[in-house]
Amino acid sequence: MDISGIPLRAVRAALFTAVVVTLSTASHVLLSQVPLPLNTVAAVAAAVFTLAYALAGRERGFGRIAALLIPLELAADTVFTTGQHLCYGPAGGPVAGPLRSVGWDVLCGNRHDVATPLARMTGTNADRLAPLLAHADPATAWLLLAAHIGVGLLAAAWLR
């Protein structure tokens, strides 16, 4: 069976993108308790779709899938975190002042946040989150990296 047909490739890439970006966005918002700017999610979705479409032409083994998924997942998390810090600041509130004057408000699009109700459901409270992040144990970063690698390996097994 030929799995490289253009219509089938596009559908497979679109479904993969929808599942991956939805799960990634929801988990990132739940853990950070801050919504994501729509433009940031759209950029990640476009990159995921492009890669999925380009690589959907043939079957690949577990190792090759994992070698691509883990760095892709870490890159998407970095883009999401960067988008949140640029648009909402480190404390989770809207950015005001000099960043607004150079156009970040256009980039961030405050009226088009993704998963705002999900972030509200977690009980967003900058007063509670800031001290938690400021006094985080150094092992927390390693645990987060291990969690990303575990999710990447699990996703690679699922795709295989």
Side-chain angles (χ1 to χ4, degrees), residues 7-132:
L8 186 58
R9 269 174 97 170
V11 169
R12 288 175 59 214
L15 288 173
F16 176 77
T17 301
V19 169
V20 167
V21 173
T22 300
L23 290 174
S24 181
T25 300
S27 63
H28 195 87
V29 168
L30 283 172
L31 289 173
S32 67
Q33 300 179 350
V34 177
L36 287 165
L38 178 62
N39 296 338
T40 303
V41 175
V44 168
V48 168
F49 177 81
T50 302
L51 281 171
Y53 183 80
L55 298 173
R58 66 181 180 94
E59 281 188 49
R60 288 173 173 67
F62 174 78
R64 288 181 186 224
I65 294 170
L68 179 69
L69 270 182
I70 293 170
L72 182 63
E73 182 183 347
L74 293 170
D77 182 62
T78 302
V79 170
F80 284 160
T81 303
T82 302
Q84 285 176 323
H85 282 275
L86 285 176
C87 293
Y88 305 116
V95 174
L99 287 179
R100 289 271 180 223
S101 65
V102 294
W104 287 115
D105 55 338
V106 174
L107 177 68
C108 297
N110 286 338
R111 288 179 280 164
H112 306 291
D113 295 335
V114 175
T116 302
L118 190 59
R120 285 187 192 132
M121 204 168 74
T122 61
T124 303
N125 187 350
D127 296 333
R128 185 181 59 186
L129 189 60
L132 177 68

